[in-house]
Amino acid sequence: MKSILIIADGLGGRPTDDNGRTCLEAAHTPNLDALTARGAVGLVDPIGPGIRPGSDTAHLSLLGYNPRDLYTGRGVFECLGIGLEVRPGDICFRANFATVDDSGGALRLVDRRAGRIESGQKDLERALDGMKLKTPGVEVQFRASTEHRGALLLRGKNLSPHVSETDPHDLGTPICAAQPTAEGEAAHRTAAAVNDLTQKSYEILRDLDLNRLRSAAGKHPANILLVRGAADCPHIPSVESIYGVRGAVIAGGALYRGVALACGLASINVPGATGGLDTDLRAKADATIAALATYDLVFVHIKGTDNAAHDHNAGAKTAFIERIDREFFGPLIDRLDWSTTHLAFTGDHTTAVDYGDHTADPVPALFVGPHVRRDDVTTFDERAAARGGLLRWSGQILPMLLSYADSSPKYGS
C-alpha cells in the first residue's frame, strides 16, 4: 500500500464574501469534489479544540506526535529544513530580514519582512554567515530561505534555548533586546550573543550595495536580522521506526521540510517548488508520482494558501485553492493506482483572511482510497466536512492515513 499526505498551509477559513462563504467554499474545485465523493471527510482540530496552532506544532500533531512532549521550538526545524547540520548543544532560531530606522539612537522597526524581499538574499547570507561575535567560542551559521526568511544556528559550549526573541512585531517600536528566560549562565551567555549578533547584523547590512540600491529604488532595505523561536535539538522517533514505512517530503518551505526531516523522512528537491504563490504545483504532482516508486509514504506541503490569507487577500487565496485543484490534483488523480493508494488532504490550521493569522477553527480533512468507507458528502469545504462521516477529532492525520494502508502498530496485545 502507498500513502500520500497533502497539507495545504492555512487551508481553513472563515466567511469572507457577501454570501458568507469561505475561500474554500467560493473556490471551484471539481477534482477535490470528485475525490470527496469517493471518500470520507470530517473536521480536524490540528492540536485540539480551541487551541490556536503554530505551523510547527500543528504539523507535529498531524503527523501523530504530541507537541507538548516533543516541541522545543521552531528554530531547529528551520535550520534542518534549510540544510544546516544540527548537533546536540546547538541553538537554532528562525530569522527574518527586516527594515529598521536608526532614529535617536534606537533601532525602530519599519517593516518586519523588508518588503518581502524578492532577490539578493544570497548576498545577505554571505555577509552574515560566520560573523564574529564578542561572546567567546560562539560560531555563527546563517542561511537565507524564501523571501525574508532565514535560519540561524549558534554553536559553542554552554548555550541555552531559553532566550526571548528580538522581533518587537509592532511597527515603530524599538528592536527588542534578547533576555534570558531561565536562570543560569548559559541563558545569559546566549542572550548576550544574540544581542551582539543583532547589532552586528545592522552594522553589516546597512551599507551593502544591495540595500543602497533598494533604498534608491524606494524599497525597504533588508538592514537587520531579527530572531525568534529559539530551540535545541528534539528527540523524535522516526516515522519508519513507528510504522515500518519509508517516507519522503516535498516542500518548498524550510520549516515543513525540517519537521519532516526531524521525523525521519527523506527530502525530495523539486525545481520550481518555491514555498510561495508562484510555486510549480504540476512539478510537485509529477514528483509525487515519481516518489511513489521508491517510498511508501509521500508528504506534500503546499504553502500559498497561507501566504494569501496572511496578506488579507481573499481573492488570492481562492485563486490559489483553484490552482491546487487544477494543477496539482488534476495531474495526480488519473495517474495513481487507486487499488493500492490511500490519500489524505487537509490543512495545518485555519488562516482567517480578515484576522490575517492562524485561528483555532477546525480544518476540513479528506481520506480516499480502497479501504475508506465512503460517506454521503460530495463537496470539499468547511461546512460540508462538518456533515462528514469522520465527524471531528484532533491531530493524528498520518496515523489515520497509515491505518487505512494497514501500516499501524497494534496498541496492546
Side-chain angles (χ1 to χ4, degrees):
M1 284 290 173
K2 301 290 185 178
S3 302
I4 305 172
L5 169 60
I6 303 128
I7 295 179
D9 207 288
L11 176 66
R14 290 175 172 175
T16 57
D17 68 9
D18 293 338
N19 297 315
R21 297 180 301 177
T22 69
C23 293
L24 190 53
E25 288 177 313
H28 179 60
T29 55
N31 293 305
L32 270 172
D33 293 344
L35 284 178
T36 301
R38 294 164 45 187
V41 295
L43 289 174
V44 59
D45 293 288
I47 299 175
I51 298 174
R52 194 162 77 94
S55 291
D56 43 15
T57 51
H59 274 79
L60 284 174
S61 183
L62 294 175
L63 293 174
Y65 300 95
N66 187 342
R68 296 173 182 85
D69 295 336
L70 298 173
Y71 183 64
T72 63
R74 177 164 171 161
V76 66
F77 301 127
E78 296 282 358
C79 286
L80 287 170
I82 205 67
L84 290 169
E85 177 194 2
V86 181
R87 302 175 187 172
D90 291 346
I91 307 301
C92 304
F93 300 83
R94 61 185 296 200
N96 274 22
F97 294 120
T99 305
V100 293
D101 177 54
D102 186 358
S103 57
L107 299 177
R108 295 185 179 275
L109 186 63
V110 174
D111 188 331
R112 293 183 65 237
R113 300 178 177 90
R116 287 197 182 275
I117 182 170
E118 73 289 348
S119 62
Q121 292 93 331
K122 284 299 178 183
D123 291 339
L124 303 174
E125 176 186 298
R126 283 188 289 269
L128 296 177
D129 186 37
M131 73 168 75
K132 303 302 180 184
L133 302 180
K134 296 176 183 176
T135 309
V138 178
E139 173 189 336
V140 174
Q141 296 184 30
F142 174 76
R143 297 291 182 274
S145 181
T146 56
E147 295 182 328
H148 56 283
R149 304 175 186 90
L152 174 75
L153 183 148
L154 299 183
R155 177 169 293 158
K157 294 181 179 180
N158 200 25
L159 296 176
S160 168
H162 299 296
V163 294
S164 63
E165 64 180 273
T166 60
D167 185 349
H169 295 269
D170 295 325
L171 301 184
T173 57
I175 299 304
C176 298
Q179 302 291 336
T181 58
E183 297 297 327
E185 179 190 350
H188 284 78
R189 172 175 156 85
T190 308
V194 169
N195 290 329
D196 185 23
L197 181 144
T198 302
Q199 181 63 34
K200 276 194 167 59
S201 73
Y202 174 68
E203 293 169 0
I204 291 170
L205 296 179
R206 66 183 175 186
D207 294 325
L208 285 185
D209 289 342
L210 170 69
N211 281 324
R212 292 183 184 277
L213 291 172
R214 288 183 65 83
S215 295
K219 298 179 179 180
H220 286 139
N223 60 8
I224 200 167
L225 192 70
L226 303 180
V227 300
R228 51 195 169 120
D232 54 9
C233 194
H235 301 285
I236 301 176
S238 70
V239 167
E240 185 170 5
S241 72
I242 299 171
Y243 302 101
V245 298
R246 296 182 65 240
V249 60
I250 296 169
L255 169 64
Y256 318 100
R257 189 164 54 247
V259 171
L261 288 169
C263 297
L265 304 188
S267 179
I268 296 174
N269 181 50
V270 178
T274 64
L277 287 163
D278 61 344
T279 195
D280 190 335
L281 293 168
R282 292 183 185 276
K284 283 191 170 184
D286 292 341
T288 301
I289 295 293
L292 289 173
T294 303
Y295 297 98
D296 308 303
L297 164 69
V298 181
F299 162 39
V300 183
H301 181 270
I302 299 173
K303 176 67 173 167
T305 33
D306 189 57
N307 292 352
H310 277 295
D311 287 342
H312 305 280
N313 192 333
K317 183 172 182 178
T318 300
F320 192 78
I321 290 169
E322 292 179 344
R323 278 193 58 209
I324 293 173
D325 186 83
R326 183 176 63 253
E327 298 174 22
F328 180 81
F329 282 105
L332 190 73
I333 291 174
D334 292 336
R335 297 163 65 188
L336 293 176
D337 180 356
W338 285 106
S339 67
T340 62
T341 304
H342 290 88
L343 180 148
F345 177 58
T346 190
D348 60 339
H349 50 74
T350 289
T351 304
V353 169
D354 290 345
Y355 184 51
D357 207 343
H358 306 184
T359 67
D361 307 57
V363 181
L366 162 69
F367 292 85
V368 61
H371 296 164
V372 177
R373 293 192 292 265
R374 299 182 184 184
D375 59 22
D376 296 329
V377 178
T378 57
T379 57
F380 185 78
D381 58 59
E382 297 89 348
R383 217 178 311 261
R387 304 191 302 270
L390 298 179
L391 305 178
R392 181 169 172 174
W393 71 97
S394 297
Q396 303 298 309
I397 292 287
L398 181 60
M400 293 171 67
L401 174 64
L402 293 178
S403 73
Y404 284 124
D406 299 329
S407 297
S408 290
K410 184 185 289 186
Y411 182 67
S413 62

